[in-house]
Amino acid sequence: MNSLRFRWLALVGLVAGFTGWLVNWLATRNGYGTPTLPLTSLVTTAVIIAITLVFGRRVLQWRNGKRDRPLDPILATRTLVLAQACAYAGALSLGWHAGIFVDQLTLLSVRSTTAPLWGSVALMVGGTLMIMVGLVVEDFCKLPPDDDGTGAPGHSEGEYA
């Protein structure tokens, strides 16, 4: 399985940011509300981050030598996929709400409330945390290099557990 590419995360964030800005621009100029997630979605974000960290910790413990029982390869693979999905979802959320934030800044002088602005900031922080946790847990899933130097097949540096 390939590791996360920062270019792809940046591309997802930029496309989502432009789309968020455009949708918000169209919505607010036509009398609709700001198309952001509610702040209660931060609870869901926290749950996703916690689950990703719990599964990542299990893989990390096994990788670091606590091998009292074998690591289920399906669990390790699912943890890796969860970490990567978490990072991509974070990039999407960060980009979308950054685009809305930029458009809301231009409306600051005509609005009486800054609630959409602060809501976007909170959701951008949540997206950033998702990216960071995804990258860290993905790193948990990498196997350490072989100590014996034999280069056993399937266990070189940078491969996943």
Side-chain angles (χ1 to χ4, degrees), residues 122-146:
L123 291 161
M124 286 167 39
V125 169
T128 303
L129 289 174
M130 287 181 78
I131 293 170
M132 291 175 9
V133 166
L135 291 171
V136 167
V137 171
E138 181 192 39
D139 191 53
F140 288 174
C141 295
K142 287 186 181 173
L143 291 174
D146 287 335

Side-chain angles (χ1 to χ4, degrees), residues 2 6 8 16 19-20 25 33 43 48-49 77 85 94 104-105 108 111-112 114 119-121 129 134 141 147 151 158:
N2 294 331
F6 290 107
W8 282 108
T19 305
W25 186 83
V43 174
I48 291 169
I49 288 171
T77 304
L94 173 63
Q104 290 296 315
L105 280 177
L108 199 56
R111 287 238 166 128
S112 61
T114 60
S120 292
V121 169
L129 289 174
C141 295
D147 290 334

Side-chain angles (χ1 to χ4, degrees), residues 14-151:
L14 287 172
V15 169
F18 177 74
T19 305
W21 173 82
L22 182 64
V23 169
N24 187 63
W25 186 83
L26 290 170
T28 55
R29 271 72 174 180
N30 290 309
Y32 295 103
T34 307
T36 63
L37 291 172
L39 287 178
T40 55
S41 66
L42 289 173
V43 174
T44 306
T45 300
V47 169
I48 291 169
I49 288 171
I51 290 171
T52 305
L53 284 172
V54 165
F55 284 123
R57 186 171 177 268
R58 288 179 66 187
V59 173
L60 179 66
Q61 286 178 337
W62 181 86
R63 187 188 83 175
N64 288 341
K66 185 180 176 192
R67 298 183 177 160
D68 52 342
R69 58 185 171 160
L71 179 68
D72 182 13
I74 300 296
L75 173 74
T77 304
R78 287 179 180 165
T79 302
L80 177 62
V81 170
L82 177 63
Q84 291 181 350
C86 186
Y88 279 116
L92 185 66
S93 178
L94 173 63
W96 178 267
H97 291 97
I100 290 172
F101 178 80
V102 167
D103 190 49
Q104 290 296 315
L105 280 177
T106 62
L107 298 174
L108 199 56
S109 62
V110 295
R111 287 238 166 128
S112 61
T113 180
T114 60
L117 205 61
W118 292 112
S120 292
V121 169
L123 291 161
M124 286 167 39
V125 169
T128 303
L129 289 174
M130 287 181 78
I131 293 170
M132 291 175 9
V133 166
L135 291 171
V136 167
V137 171
E138 181 192 39
D139 191 53
F140 288 174
C141 295
K142 287 186 181 173
L143 291 174
D146 287 335
D147 290 334
D148 60 359
T150 60

